[in-house]
């Protein structure tokens, strides 16, 4: 039987956080044997906010290194760069013509980003979900593993695909969102009611995958908790502690009950230390592999070139079919 197809991606907006790792990458790694996986660097999506061009190029390569360092085997997965496959922007134009302004207006990511970048509410930011739908539909993806925050974008992708299919007959596979059981939403350390985000301005709010052990300890020490001094899971009233428990639980594979038991009668100081050490232990092998790869740009290039080639072939076939269906002349 043919393997089911997975596609996902991450924007090249900066160094990845523990949230990206636990919510996305860590789940991808678990899927690489069972599925035919396509993982891209969403560099075109990154352009929806202002970037320094050199930074963007650097972040794109760093991200490829992080994918591999986190455990994605380039021989098993198709790792590629979105902008290298013209079919993404080509399909995006077509799908724009099948997407309503009203639908895009409801996207919470658009509202959030528009509020954050009030001086640059560009139309790319508005049509971001249409490009994302193109990314997914070009590969006939069955499953799209993402964090909770991307669920709405998957819903609009399905709506666009269904609309297109109902006009032109079966064309696109309708993808399912896959949200991992754990790590779906890691919150900020300083503001535990908002998700940890790699583009957050406050460095204390996020743990980067490349942070040193000292930095991780420092950030955990300063993480916002509450005055109860009791390790108890209660997302509503104790968002800070609950978030740290969530992180610890994923890394140590422990339930919230088990963690409460482990830290019964112990204060936040001891608990935070344990969380910091767990993170450090998990990230160490990843960082070693990352440091090795980043010194070797030729190897990174070979990885994405191989991925680009495979991705392009598949995407072009689907794009051609769409061109034909809507009435464009194809050879
Ligand atoms: P930005 O700050 O640039 O918006 P981000 O940190 O939100 O970036 P994205 O590139 O938007 O990251 O997302 C990459 C992947 O990581 C997506 O699958 C997203 O759902 C997931 N993700 C991002 N932040 C978190 C988080 N705090 N918890 C769990 N998953 C997350
Ligand atoms: N918007 C996504 C990144 C992304 C993506 C995709 C994820 C772009 N294209 C296709 C899954 C499938 C995000 O995580 N912020």
């Amino acid at each position: 039987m043919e393997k089911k197809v997975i596609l996902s991606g991450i924007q090249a907006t900066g160094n990845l956080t523990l949230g990206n790792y636990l919510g996305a990458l860590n789940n991808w790694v678990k899927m690489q044997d069972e599925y035919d996986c396509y993982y891209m660097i969403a560099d075109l999506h990154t352009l929806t906010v202002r970037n320094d061009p050199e930074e963007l190029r650097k972040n794109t390569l760093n991200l490829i290194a992080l994918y591999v360092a986190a455990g994605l085997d380039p021989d098993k997965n198709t790792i590629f760069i979105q902008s290298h496959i013209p079919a993404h922007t080509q399909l995006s134009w077509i799908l724009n013509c099948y997407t309503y302004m009203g639908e895009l207006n409801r996207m919470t990511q658009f509202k959030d980003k528009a509020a954050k970048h009030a001086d640059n509410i560009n139309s790319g930011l508005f049509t971001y979900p249409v490009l994302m739908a193109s990314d997914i539909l070009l590969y006939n993806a069955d499953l799209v593993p993402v964090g909770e925050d991307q669920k709405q974008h998957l819903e609009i992708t399905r709506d666009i695909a269904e609309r297109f299919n109902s006009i032109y007959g079966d064309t696109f596979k309708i993808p399912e969102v896959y949200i991992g059981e754990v790590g779906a939403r890691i919150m900020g350390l300083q503001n535990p009611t908002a998700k940890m985000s790699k583009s957050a301005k406050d460095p204390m709010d996020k743990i980067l995958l490349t942070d040193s052990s000292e930095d991780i300890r420092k950030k955990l020490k300063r993480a916002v908790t509450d005055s109860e001094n009791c390790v108890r899971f209660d997302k509503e009233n104790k968002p800070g502690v609950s978030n740290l428990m969530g992180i610890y639980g994923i890394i140590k594979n422990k339930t919230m009950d088990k963690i409460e038991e482990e830290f019964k009668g112990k204060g936040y100081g001891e608990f935070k230390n344990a969380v910091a050490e767990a993170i450090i232990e998990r990230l160490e092998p990843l960082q070693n592999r990352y440091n090795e790869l980043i010194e070797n740009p030729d190897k990174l290039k070979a990885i994405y070139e191989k991925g680009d080639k495979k991705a392009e072939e598949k995407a072009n076939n689907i794009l051609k079919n769409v061109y034909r269906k809507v009435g464009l002349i194809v050879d």
Side-chain angles (χ1 to χ4, degrees):
M1 209 175 73
E2 265 196 21
K3 283 182 176 174
K4 286 200 167 178
V5 176
I6 279 192
L7 178 130
S8 197
I10 298 185
Q11 298 186 72
T13 30
N15 214 324
L16 290 194
T17 69
L18 191 66
N20 300 129
Y21 176 69
L22 297 178
L25 268 183
N26 192 35
N27 291 325
W28 299 0
V29 172
K30 292 182 203 152
M31 301 171 118
Q32 61 185 348
D33 291 316
E34 219 180 308
Y35 296 89
D36 182 15
C37 301
Y38 290 78
Y39 292 120
M40 55 169 217
I41 312 296
D43 58 344
L44 293 170
H45 278 111
T46 313
L47 297 176
T48 55
V49 299
R50 291 282 175 261
N51 290 277
D52 175 68
E54 271 320 309
E55 275 293 287
L56 175 54
R57 268 187 283 271
K58 202 175 103 209
N59 284 338
T60 301
L61 285 184
N62 285 355
L63 208 47
I64 291 179
L66 279 173
Y67 278 11
V68 178
L72 290 181
D73 179 347
D75 290 329
K76 288 186 191 158
N77 303 275
T78 306
I79 297 174
F80 69 100
I81 299 180
Q82 183 189 33
S83 66
H84 289 186
I85 317 296
H88 290 242
T89 40
Q90 291 170 309
L91 181 62
S92 186
W93 170 256
I94 294 182
L95 296 185
N96 263 315
C97 303
Y98 297 85
T99 308
Y100 299 117
M101 306 271 287
E103 286 178 300
L104 292 172
N105 244 330
R106 284 200 297 274
M107 296 293 117
T108 55
Q109 181 178 296
F110 171 68
K111 290 185 214 165
D112 289 352
K113 296 239 159 163
K116 260 196 213 158
H117 305 276
D119 56 338
N120 181 23
I121 307 177
N122 60 70
S123 53
L125 200 57
F126 190 62
T127 56
Y128 179 117
V130 185
L131 178 59
M132 181 159 160
S134 308
D135 301 336
I136 296 166
L137 300 176
L138 273 177
Y139 298 88
N140 270 339
D142 293 279
L143 272 188
V144 182
V146 283
E148 181 81 37
D149 61 308
Q150 294 300 311
K151 205 169 154 193
Q152 206 184 20
H153 288 161
L154 257 293
E155 281 157 14
I156 195 174
T157 299
R158 290 167 59 91
D159 290 344
I160 297 169
E162 275 165 6
R163 181 171 308 137
F164 194 98
N165 285 353
S166 76
I167 303 174
Y168 299 105
D170 219 12
T171 309
F172 295 124
K173 168 91 60 67
I174 308 297
E176 303 277 342
V177 64
Y178 172 87
I179 300 199
E181 290 155 47
V182 288
R185 201 169 170 80
I186 304 296
M187 310 309 268
L189 297 184
Q190 290 301 313
N191 179 7
T193 53
K195 73 162 193 162
M196 184 183 286
S197 164
K198 58 174 135 66
S199 58
K201 290 229 162 63
D202 179 1
M204 284 294 155
D205 198 49
K206 54 188 179 185
I207 291 182
L208 299 179
L209 296 186
T210 50
D211 271 347
S212 67
S213 308
E214 278 140 84
D215 281 343
I216 294 174
R217 289 191 189 104
K218 197 160 72 192
K219 289 179 183 184
L220 260 293
K221 269 205 182 88
R222 295 231 205 124
V224 166
T225 48
D226 51 68
S227 55
E228 196 190 18
N229 210 25
C230 168
V231 178
R232 184 168 63 78
F233 191 78
D234 177 350
K235 255 190 180 161
E236 194 113 308
N237 299 305
K238 295 164 71 70
V241 171
S242 303
N243 185 38
L244 299 185
M245 289 176 76
I247 293 172
Y248 188 71
I250 303 170
I251 297 179
K252 292 284 192 187
N253 201 11
K254 286 185 178 169
T255 62
M256 296 304 115
D257 284 350
K258 268 253 144 53
I259 299 172
E260 285 179 5
E261 215 172 278
E262 183 178 347
F263 293 96
K264 207 169 188 172
K266 297 180 180 162
Y268 287 161
E270 196 168 328
F271 171 58
K272 283 173 157 185
N273 271 339
V275 180
E277 295 314 314
I279 297 172
I280 291 167
E281 195 185 318
R282 171 58 78 93
L283 293 187
E284 208 179 17
L286 185 154
Q287 293 182 345
N288 291 340
R289 283 193 294 265
Y290 173 78
N291 290 334
E292 223 178 276
L293 278 163
I294 209 67
E295 292 300 318
N296 201 339
D298 289 345
K299 193 163 178 187
L300 293 175
K301 190 166 182 218
I303 291 171
Y304 71 70
E305 279 182 344
K306 183 170 155 210
D308 287 352
K309 195 161 171 268
K310 183 165 170 219
E312 182 153 37
E313 232 178 77
K314 177 144 184 171
N316 281 345
N317 276 334
I318 295 189
L319 180 72
K320 238 189 197 166
N321 189 29
V322 172
Y323 270 28
R324 219 175 270 122
K325 294 234 171 157
V326 297
L328 304 180
I329 294 178
V330 184
D331 337 317

